[in-house]
Amino acid sequence: MIKILLTSLTFAILFWVNCFGQGDSTVIGRSGFYNALRVGVGIERSPYFELGYARVGIVDKSWPGSLSFYAAGQLNMSRRNETNRYIYGGKAGFETAWMIGMWGAEIKYLTNREESQVYFTPKVGLSALGFVSVLYGYNIPRKDRLSEIGSHQITITINWSRKLVGYIK
């Protein structure tokens, strides 16, 4: 798991340096970082909703790509546990997109008040410059997984910002 995390972080840093670290000769036009509201829905054995903050970096349209760092809260609705109907927690991660392809990773802490777990989730999918994304993730638990959280995760997210909407138009 540490190998996967280090590989993901290395690619994110290389993308960052390549796209945002070379001054105005590479990054032109309306590129730069934007603050965005992150909203998402998904399923990982139980349906969930996420709400948070994202910092999205856009490379100019001549070479479309983006890099996003985010922090969000997650609320799952449990269908298996009648005493604790909700699973909740926080997550932090990054996503990077080139053209329409996207990949990323997140670390999240989830609890149902009786037990808790930390998950590492690498993700891949499709995106429109990080503005709207459809992603598949694989949840890797630190120890035993919560019964309401499966191995597979499907997510649809929107990073909403007026500046990003203006950029995509």
Side-chain angles (χ1 to χ4, degrees), residues 82-140:
E82 291 300 321
T83 58
N84 290 324
R85 300 261 322 149
Y86 300 102
I87 302 147
Y88 55 90
K91 61 169 70 177
F94 74 94
E95 297 168 340
T96 183
W98 287 284
M99 304 291 186
I100 62 168
M102 178 175 241
W103 68 276
E106 70 185 19
I107 295 178
K108 59 186 169 187
Y109 170 81
L110 297 174
T111 183
N112 63 6
R113 287 183 275 169
E114 291 177 359
E115 55 184 342
S116 59
Q117 185 55 269
V118 175
Y119 290 90
F120 172 70
T121 308
K123 306 183 290 185
V124 296
L126 301 174
S127 180
L129 280 178
F131 177 64
V132 177
S133 306
V134 177
L135 297 165
Y136 164 80
Y138 186 79
N139 291 319
I140 302 168

Side-chain angles (χ1 to χ4, degrees), residues 3-166:
K3 200 174 197 181
I4 294 170
L5 180 61
L6 290 175
T7 303
S8 298
L9 289 174
T10 301
F11 280 116
I13 290 168
L14 290 174
F15 177 77
W16 173 275
V17 169
N18 185 43
C19 298
F20 301 107
Q22 297 181 6
D24 292 336
S25 63
T26 304
V27 183
I28 56 174
R30 292 182 283 176
S31 52
F33 277 94
Y34 303 102
N35 296 321
L37 174 68
R38 181 180 177 85
V39 179
V41 294
I43 190 157
E44 48 190 7
R45 190 175 291 154
S46 61
Y48 72 90
F49 172 77
E50 70 179 70
L51 181 65
Y53 166 81
R55 185 86 169 135
V56 182
I58 302 290
V59 179
D60 194 61
K61 288 182 180 178
S62 62
W63 191 81
S66 70
L67 176 64
S68 168
F69 296 98
Y70 64 89
Q74 179 174 321
L75 178 66
N76 289 52
M77 182 75 160
S78 173
R79 295 180 285 182
R80 296 172 182 240
N81 192 340
E82 291 300 321
T83 58
N84 290 324
R85 300 261 322 149
Y86 300 102
I87 302 147
Y88 55 90
K91 61 169 70 177
F94 74 94
E95 297 168 340
T96 183
W98 287 284
M99 304 291 186
I100 62 168
M102 178 175 241
W103 68 276
E106 70 185 19
I107 295 178
K108 59 186 169 187
Y109 170 81
L110 297 174
T111 183
N112 63 6
R113 287 183 275 169
E114 291 177 359
E115 55 184 342
S116 59
Q117 185 55 269
V118 175
Y119 290 90
F120 172 70
T121 308
K123 306 183 290 185
V124 296
L126 301 174
S127 180
L129 280 178
F131 177 64
V132 177
S133 306
V134 177
L135 297 165
Y136 164 80
Y138 186 79
N139 291 319
I140 302 168
R142 188 174 61 93
K143 292 187 280 185
D144 298 328
R145 58 179 76 248
L146 297 172
S147 62
E148 299 89 350
I149 306 298
S151 297
H152 308 284
Q153 171 188 29
I154 304 290
T155 308
I156 299 171
T157 58
I158 297 173
N159 291 317
W160 177 257
S161 169
R162 289 177 133 180
K163 290 181 180 180
L164 283 173
V165 171

